[in-house]
Amino acid sequence: MLEATGGWKWLLSDPWLLQGFPQFVSNPRQVRDFAKAMGVLAKTDKIDAHVIARFADSVRPEIRPLKTRGNGNAGCF
């Protein structure tokens, strides 16, 4: 699971998609609301990674086709 971060997510997302790894790009607001519900108010990279992992484990989001930045749909999950 990746959190949408403007253009930065493509640095990880494109290569993974081309290799066929399933992934989900989350809405940052949903993850932040999830963190607040858990009582997590601090925001660091380490805390964000933990919260995103907990969000993915708890919510089990549906994996849908994503488009790569360069070639439209890469036939990904």
Side-chain angles (χ1 to χ4, degrees):
M1 172 177 276
L2 300 170
E3 187 175 47
T5 57
W8 291 105
K9 75 175 182 295
W10 297 113
L11 293 174
L12 291 174
S13 180
D14 277 357
W16 290 350
L17 287 172
L18 294 173
Q19 293 295 315
F21 289 100
Q23 56 187 282
F24 177 83
V25 178
S26 66
N27 180 321
R29 183 190 48 78
Q30 289 177 314
V31 175
R32 191 74 205 132
D33 290 347
F34 181 81
K36 287 179 184 176
M38 290 184 351
V40 177
L41 302 179
K43 188 158 174 49
T44 67
D45 288 343
K46 186 174 181 178
I47 292 171
D48 283 351
H50 177 74
V51 169
I52 291 168
R54 292 276 309 267
F55 178 81
D57 189 49
S58 298
V59 176
R60 300 278 182 187
E62 176 186 348
I63 297 176
R64 297 170 281 166
L66 295 175
K67 293 182 178 182
T68 64
R69 186 174 46 152
N71 66 354
N73 193 326
C76 53
F77 298 83

